[in-house]
Amino acid sequence: MKNLKQYEVWFVTGSQHLYGEETLKQVDADSKMIATYLDQSDRIPCKVVFKPVVKTPDEISTICTQANTTSQCVGLVTWMHTFSPAKMWIAGLSLLRKPFVHLHTQFNRDIPWDTIDMDFMNLNQSAHGGREFGFICSRMRKNRKVIVGHWQDEDVSKELDIWMRAACAWHDWQGMKVARFGDNMREVAVTEGDKVEAQKQFGYSVNGYGVGDLTDVIENVSDKQMDSMVKQYQDTYKVDLSKEQLDAVRESARIEAGMRTFLEAGDFKAFTTCFEDLHGLVQLPGLPVQRLMEDGYGFGAEGDWKTAALVRAMKVMATGLKGGTSFMEDYTYHLDPAGMRVLGAHMLEVCPSIASGKPALEVHPLGIGGKADPARLVFNVPEGDGINVSVMDMGNRFRMLANPCRVVAPKAALPKLPVARVVWEPMPNLKTAAAAWILGGGAHHTGFSMALTVRHMVDFAEMAGIEILLIDEHTNIADFKRDIRINEVYYMLSNGLK
Ligand code: MN
């Protein structure tokens, strides 16, 4: 993944001409100091760019228009150092198409109790200036995050970090291309959806390609390319294979090289496969998909383009953080009342970014698909905190579900399980989490991450303007059902409020 420092967040401070030149100079200098502090902080992932203080409707509209058309700008941090009469913001906020966060801070952390005078009061007006700005944002029904606290506080940086990561992922989705090799798994409901509506809402496009288009590229992969890829495998993974199995790995390498060429040539950031549609492919791509995901591609199996796009977004958000991110499926349960758990896996396609230690490269038969034995990486996942996230098309809107979990060690070595797997306890417990997930219509496919928290997903869903339902330590089923019912009404009516 690219470094998020390639992306800019613009620091925009609101004021007005009422206070005279001296005060405005001070406002400008203070704003510059905060922007510089954030830009240089190692807790802030993006470049923070100071913009001269805006004092008129024209200046506000101009900065918003410039933000829209500056490709590396992922969003704005807005701050009201003084009062900035908010009718001045209507035109600009109407134009603004990038996400923004309202930083409700004050330059001086403390009130100087012994020396405070009207000069201090006139300069440090965030307490009421931020409310005036907040009113117009709410009056215009603008989705935004509000962060309260002193700009040097660690928790303020942490919230900004989360929001900026979400803004980078949102930016990455705009114009993103998702390739679908084949179509949906026949008769499956949740992986379907309205691709035109998704493009309107999310900014990414999803287009199908015949598997023949891919196999044409795969057939042109040279033996030399294939051998150098197999050499990489031998250097990277635990490999102990028979001659026949090595031949299967060579075939897998050919598929990987072809898929890479195809995806790079088309500038795709995510893709799907479907085991029902493998015409001309010798194996279901397992190892190739795993390795492409590790390099930052989003992936969804069985034609699941929504999860492919989601996994990509989560990988962008997680750039540089500890812990991996993968396509995932709730596969099977451990229903012992003493500790109920989910075993997550897929037929093959789990990203090695979440592996503990060196994955083993193995070749085993696959019961479905009717193809040759596919190569795959087999591994466990370290203990720690994780999340599962899913996006569904509910017919009149997209819904996101997010559920934190605690990853635990499997109870044994699982010597006969030939796929990568992860065992977790969902929050608040499996009974409540699974019931809520099912009531919310949550998919069996998810984006799984040990780098992100649900707070990243909340900020992201807000930018996307979609519903998000959290299943966490506070969830109980009665409240959850009520929230779903309220949301049904809200999402039916809310467009009329704009
Ligand atoms: Mn699946």
Side-chain angles (χ1 to χ4, degrees):
M1 299 301 294
K2 291 173 183 167
N3 190 318
L4 300 185
K5 284 278 178 206
Q6 71 182 302
Y7 295 123
E8 293 180 1
V9 171
W10 289 5
F11 193 92
V12 177
T13 305
S15 190
Q16 61 175 331
H17 276 297
L18 185 72
Y19 312 105
E21 275 311 299
E22 273 314 296
T23 303
L24 284 175
K25 259 190 207 157
Q26 194 59 47
V27 167
D28 210 63
D30 293 349
S31 303
K32 195 178 267 176
M33 189 180 285
I34 298 178
T36 306
Y37 172 85
L38 294 174
D39 184 50
Q40 290 174 356
S41 164
D42 53 15
R43 292 197 293 262
I44 296 295
C46 299
K47 202 170 173 208
V48 177
V49 179
F50 166 77
K51 293 287 167 185
V53 173
V54 288
K55 304 164 292 292
T56 64
D58 280 352
E59 287 174 1
I60 293 167
S61 295
T62 300
I63 201 82
C64 290
T65 308
Q66 284 172 352
N68 287 345
T69 56
T70 303
S71 63
Q72 68 272 24
C73 172
V74 300
L76 309 185
V77 176
T78 54
W79 174 47
M80 304 304 123
H81 192 325
T82 62
F83 199 79
S84 178
K87 282 163 74 178
M88 298 200 303
W89 286 84
I90 293 175
L93 289 176
S94 301
L95 293 167
L96 183 64
R97 293 188 47 78
K98 302 262 165 118
F100 69 101
V101 60
H102 178 181
L103 178 59
H104 190 54
T105 190
Q106 180 168 284
F107 185 73
N108 285 68
R109 195 191 72 174
D110 298 341
I111 292 176
W113 301 104
D114 295 329
T115 58
I116 185 168
D117 55 12
M118 278 321 285
D119 286 346
F120 182 92
M121 298 278 276
N122 284 335
L123 186 63
N124 293 283
Q125 294 187 336
S126 322
H128 60 286
R131 285 162 208 259
E132 167 73 357
F133 179 69
F135 165 73
I136 205 62
C137 296
S138 292
R139 174 70 180 78
M140 295 174 75
R141 271 76 182 179
K142 289 285 171 192
N143 284 354
R144 79 284 188 193
K145 179 174 186 167
V146 179
I147 301 174
V148 181
H150 191 250
W151 49 280
Q152 285 170 319
D153 281 357
E154 195 176 332
D155 62 339
V156 167
S157 296
K158 267 189 196 154
E159 288 301 323
L160 280 169
D161 171 57
I162 289 169
W163 179 84
M164 284 184 199
R165 288 175 179 280
C168 290
W170 178 248
H171 185 266
D172 183 72
W173 264 17
Q174 306 314 304
M176 175 171 96
K177 292 162 72 181
V178 181
R180 266 180 124 207
F181 298 120
D183 202 299
N184 200 60
M185 180 178 167
R186 287 182 280 279
E187 303 286 9
V188 174
V190 76
T191 46
E192 287 281 13
D194 186 338
K195 298 194 278 290
V196 174
E197 199 55 33
Q199 189 164 347
K200 280 170 62 192
Q201 182 101 35
F202 298 135
Y204 62 72
S205 65
V206 182
N207 286 297
Y209 294 86
V211 178
D213 295 337
L214 176 60
T215 52
D216 281 353
V217 181
I218 291 170
E219 275 165 20
N220 284 322
V221 171
S222 68
D223 284 358
K224 207 176 142 199
Q225 267 176 290
M226 209 157 63
D227 289 339
S228 88
M229 202 147 264
V230 172
K231 171 86 175 50
Q232 267 188 47
Y233 300 164
Q234 279 163 335
D235 293 344
T236 316
Y237 311 118
K238 286 184 260 183
V239 182
D240 180 15
L241 298 167
S242 68
K243 163 83 180 57
E244 264 178 21
Q245 288 172 327
L246 263 177
D247 288 344
V249 166
R250 280 172 60 80
E251 199 50 54
S252 187
R254 189 198 296 277
I255 295 172
E256 178 180 334
M259 287 180 106
R260 279 185 189 278
T261 303
F262 190 100
L263 294 170
E264 282 166 19
D267 197 22
F268 297 104
K269 294 174 179 170
F271 66 103
T272 68
T273 58
C274 183
F275 70 89
E276 283 178 336
D277 198 346
L278 295 175
H279 186 78
L281 284 177
V282 180
Q283 316 168 0
L284 173 65
L287 175 66
V289 169
Q290 291 180 293
R291 286 171 47 83
L292 285 161
M293 246 193 289
E294 190 173 25
D295 287 347
Y297 285 97
F299 172 74
E302 292 103 45
D304 188 349
W305 51 271
K306 292 191 297 300
T307 306
L310 175 67
V311 168
R312 165 69 188 190
M314 292 172 75
K315 281 183 173 284
V316 172
M317 278 184 252
T319 303
L321 297 179
K322 195 171 159 284
T325 298
S326 179
F327 171 70
M328 190 55 67
E329 178 168 307
D330 292 75
Y331 218 108
T332 201
Y333 283 146
H334 181 67
L335 289 181
D336 178 357
M340 295 191 182
R341 280 151 200 197
V342 180
L343 187 147
H346 205 256
M347 285 186 290
L348 305 168
E349 310 93 336
V350 178
C351 178
S353 67
I354 61 171
S356 65
K358 207 182 224 193
L361 176 53
E362 299 181 14
V363 176
H364 301 278
L366 188 67
I368 45 180
K371 292 283 173 173
D373 300 355
R376 83 287 307 271
L377 297 171
V378 179
F379 52 84
N380 286 313
V381 173
E383 296 198 329
D385 294 327
I387 55 169
N388 275 297
V389 186
S390 165
V391 174
M392 295 76 60
D393 182 343
M394 300 303 290
N396 65 342
R397 67 185 185 275
F398 291 98
R399 167 181 287 166
M400 180 180 281
L401 270 173
N403 182 210
C405 65
R406 178 79 196 156
V407 177
V408 296
K411 289 192 172 274
L414 314 173
K416 295 199 167 168
L417 186 63
V419 290
R421 60 287 180 129
V422 45
V423 180
W424 68 78
E425 298 174 348
M427 295 293 126
N429 54 63
L430 191 144
K431 272 179 183 261
T432 303
W437 190 274
I438 285 165
L439 287 166
H444 54 282
H445 286 165
T446 62
F448 168 84
S449 178
M450 296 189 72
L452 303 175
T453 67
V454 292
R455 286 151 69 202
H456 293 93
M457 305 318 301
V458 168
D459 285 0
F460 187 74
E462 190 121 60
M463 286 169 199
I466 62 166
E467 178 185 16
I468 180 163
L469 294 172
L470 290 185
I471 303 169
D472 60 17
E473 63 274 22
H474 306 296
T475 298
N476 70 70
I477 296 299
D479 290 349
F480 194 79
K481 279 188 170 178
R482 189 201 54 209
D483 288 348
I484 289 175
R485 287 197 200 99
I486 291 170
N487 284 3
E488 290 291 5
V489 179
Y490 168 77
Y491 282 96
M492 206 170 284
L493 298 179
S494 61
N495 281 339
L497 293 170
K498 286 176 183 156

